[in-house]
Amino acid sequence: QVQLVESGGGLVQAGGSLRLSCAASGSILSINAMGWYRQAPGKQRDLVATITSGGSTNYADSVKDRFTISRDNAKNTVYLEMNSLKPEDTAVYYCNADIWTYRGTYSSYWGQGTQVTVSS
């Protein structure tokens, strides 16, 4: 069994910062890509940022130069540092990870989501 648990969401004023964390636990052999996605009310879930096991990153154009994704492979944890937040960043943020388990399965796992609200 694999679990992804997010933390760090909350309410912040425009221009402020938040740091999200997502820790993977369970029967994990290795983790390939990890990432953050977000879903605003009435909208589809969109990619925010991804990071490979080697540290290569990819960002949505809307968050480039404001958000930074990083990971600690020893802790099976991915982070999202969010600066210069805007009201349009308001959404539920979901963690995602592509994981090999000790049972020999390879699947994409999702966290439960954490709310980020940016007030104007």
Side-chain angles (χ1 to χ4, degrees):
Q1 192 79 337
V2 172
Q3 261 193 321
L4 270 61
V5 178
E6 298 122 334
S7 60
L11 173 64
V12 65
Q13 287 189 330
S17 299
L18 281 175
R19 188 190 195 212
L20 305 182
S21 299
C22 171
S25 62
S27 182
I28 297 170
L29 178 61
S30 65
I31 303 178
N32 287 347
M34 303 184 82
W36 290 94
Y37 293 73
R38 66 187 181 186
Q39 187 167 18
K43 295 189 177 181
Q44 66 181 20
R45 189 175 297 187
D46 291 326
L47 179 145
V48 175
T50 60
I51 184 168
T52 67
S53 57
S56 296
T57 59
N58 179 53
Y59 295 92
D61 288 342
S62 60
V63 306
K64 278 180 183 177
D65 300 324
R66 298 189 299 123
F67 291 9
T68 302
I69 189 170
S70 61
R71 64 190 282 175
D72 184 332
N73 291 329
K75 295 182 179 179
N76 290 336
T77 299
V78 63
Y79 306 96
L80 186 68
E81 186 76 34
M82 304 185 293
N83 298 314
S84 302
L85 281 161
K86 304 175 181 179
E88 51 263 44
D89 294 319
T90 295
V92 178
Y93 283 69
Y94 295 92
C95 170
N96 175 266
D98 297 330
I99 296 174
W100 278 103
T101 70
Y102 282 107
R103 293 185 177 184
T105 59
Y106 183 69
S107 299
S108 184
Y109 292 86
W110 292 90
Q112 80 286 356
T114 186
Q115 177 70 46
V116 171
T117 303
V118 184
S119 63
S120 56

